[in-house]
Amino acid sequence: MVSRARGMSLRAIFGGATAAIVGLVVVITAALVGLTTLLHRTTSHAAYSVENVRLAQEAQIELLLLGRVTDPVVRRDIEARITTRLLEAKQYVSSPDERRIFDEATALVNAYTSQHRQSSNGPVPQEAVFGALEALVNVNVAQARIAHATAAEWDRLTNYSGIAIAALLFLGAAGILQWFRTRALQPVLALSDAMAEFGRGNRDSRGPDIGPAELREMSRRFNEMAAALSAQRRAQVAFLAGVAHDLRNPLSALGLSVSLMPADRPLPSETRLRQLIATIGRQVKHLNRMVGDFLDIARIDAGELELRRDMHDARRLVTDVVGLFEATSADPRFVVSLPDEAVDVYCDGLRIEQVLTNLISNSIKYSPAASPIEIALEPSQEDVVFIVTDHGIGIAEAELPCVFEAFRRVGLSKEAVPGVGLGLFVVNRIVQMHGGSINVKSTLGAGSTFRVQLPRAPSESVAPEVLQSETTAVLN
Ligand code: ADP
């Protein structure tokens, strides 16, 4: 019973209720029409019988008068009146029995009046005619009684039917109200309570899976939304925790460096001072990169990261970035192979430099000092591919698909090398916005190769909103 009610939809229930009400109205109307027709017929019978009683009695009185009058003119007048009464009574005859009695009485009246015209004494005595008319009176009185009794019977039946219909309507209305209270109102109230509870901060509050299909669907959608909001909330908390955690390392390194140079004590030796300043510089650079990544993520999430695209020689972008690294690195470790011809590519130069910087600094971070880092360009008619290869720790095959996800740090690098796990996420988004793609091939312990493919010609840049929704999804 419960499961059947669970499966029903409001539409089906209202459809059924409407059909039931229409059916009930049709039955009640038919019953009322039938009953009024029957009552009308019964009262008409009663009225005809009463009318015929009157006419038969008037004919009897005329008959008595006829017996006493001798004037032929008056007699004809009385005979005409008797005939008129009988003709009138004929149209009210309502049963075969009455028809027989009426015919007998009419025949006797006709025989009596015609015999009377010749002589007053004939074979038809006045008493016989009177008796026949009396029989007509009696049959009509009996019929009127029967009609009265029938009318009373119908009246009783109508009263009972009215009471039964009223009871039926009352029970139906009570049933509908009860259903509405338990099956429709309660689920709505429960859902509303769940929503209010969720609004008060109980993130585990969920709508019940009860009631008609539409309400369960509403509840299911609320639950989905609540689950998504809870997950979003958890992701935000995790994001903040990640940010706080990753800010703590460089900040404590900075704090430590500063604590080694107290204001009230003599400064350490110049060599030590230079070491401390170098540490501070590294941490500031690290913090700078992290904040840059956070800002980029925020811009992507808000759909505000815009590309300023122009024609650039891809070789120039590579040499500029490598030049910066070479300026700060003691050992020459970059092996750059570039085509002789210019490789024009339509891109946001600064953002592509950011991509290359990220890939190269990862290669430096995740490979032994002085191991070579190869940077190459592979141009084709339509695309250009930037390739960054290192011979470092590499990435396990199972973890390769995750490295472009936000806050994803894999393998040994998690503990050994500082980082937040946002660099490749931002890189991937920038490349996607250019209509390009990025992939990585890696062997654990042997090194990694990142390939960034970009279309060379101006092309429709991917709308930030598209990436924004993807970014929000990833962050969630
Ligand atoms: P991070 O700030 O941790 O470097 P990234 O998003 O740049 O964040 O990289 C994500 C993760 O991918 C890194 O934590 C690291 O585990 C892995 N990774 C990225 N580049 C390399 C690489 N060249 N060699 C090995 N592992 C890498």
Side-chain angles (χ1 to χ4, degrees), residues 55-228:
L55 290 168
Q57 285 178 338
E58 281 177 7
Q60 278 180 319
I61 293 165
E62 300 289 354
L63 189 73
L64 290 176
L65 267 177
L66 189 68
R68 293 206 189 122
V69 174
T70 51
D71 183 355
V73 177
V74 179
R75 283 181 66 89
R76 263 201 303 281
D77 199 30
I78 293 171
E79 280 169 19
R81 285 209 299 273
I82 292 174
T83 311
T84 310
R85 300 277 184 281
L86 287 176
L87 274 177
E88 217 180 314
K90 190 177 180 184
Q91 60 183 318
Y92 298 127
V93 171
S94 58
S95 70
D97 218 18
E98 189 187 353
R99 157 84 42 205
R100 187 181 48 76
I101 292 167
F102 175 82
D103 287 346
E104 274 174 27
T106 312
L108 277 174
V109 166
N110 288 339
Y112 179 74
T113 50
S114 65
Q115 103 183 342
H116 224 267
R117 258 176 242 136
Q118 290 135 30
S119 76
S120 54
N121 289 325
V124 182
Q126 193 193 43
E127 292 75 29
V129 183
F130 197 86
L133 286 173
E134 188 63 24
L136 191 60
V137 169
N138 289 341
V139 78
N140 274 297
V141 166
Q143 281 183 171
R145 283 205 184 107
I146 290 170
H148 182 262
T150 311
E153 191 64 31
W154 282 122
D155 185 38
R156 226 182 2 260
L157 197 72
T158 310
N159 289 345
Y160 290 150
S161 314
I163 290 167
I165 288 170
L168 212 66
L169 285 176
F170 176 78
L171 285 176
I176 287 173
L177 280 178
Q178 174 66 7
W179 172 86
F180 189 73
R181 213 169 63 81
T182 54
R183 298 258 167 243
L185 197 60
Q186 265 178 17
V188 169
L189 291 178
L191 182 57
S192 154
D193 285 350
M195 286 175 169
E197 185 73 11
F198 190 82
R200 280 194 291 272
N202 179 1
R203 305 277 149 196
D204 294 330
S205 171
R206 295 290 181 271
D209 184 30
I210 53 171
E214 287 86 348
L215 292 181
R216 281 186 290 119
E217 177 65 16
M218 246 166 87
S219 192
R220 190 183 63 76
R221 292 207 176 151
F222 164 72
N223 290 348
E224 277 174 11
M225 192 197 71

Side-chain angles (χ1 to χ4, degrees), residues 414-463:
K414 271 186 278 192
E415 282 79 33
V417 189
V420 193
L422 286 178
L424 287 182
F425 176 74
V426 174
V427 161
N428 190 23
R429 287 290 177 258
I430 292 173
V431 172
Q432 283 182 334
M433 283 180 78
H434 280 82
S437 63
I438 181 168
N439 66 59
V440 55
K441 285 203 172 84
S442 188
T443 311
L444 207 56
S448 317
T449 298
F450 283 83
R451 293 170 67 89
V452 172
Q453 169 266 324
L454 290 183
R456 291 179 63 175
S459 64
E460 217 25 56
S461 84
V462 177

Side-chain angles (χ1 to χ4, degrees), residues 289 358 362-363 365-366 390 393-395 403 408-410 413 419-425 448 450:
R289 184 179 156 192
N358 228 307
N362 273 354
S363 292
K365 272 199 303 189
Y366 301 115
D390 66 57
I393 59 172
I395 304 164
V403 293
R408 230 17 134 95
R409 309 204 65 227
V410 298
S413 68
V420 193
L422 286 178
L424 287 182
F425 176 74
S448 317
F450 283 83

Side-chain angles (χ1 to χ4, degrees), residues 307-324:
L307 297 182
R308 298 203 177 93
R309 303 218 273 178
D310 221 333
M311 271 304 178
H312 293 274
D313 184 353
R315 299 178 311 165
R316 181 73 192 272
L317 298 176
V318 172
T319 47
D320 281 357
V321 173
V322 173
L324 274 177

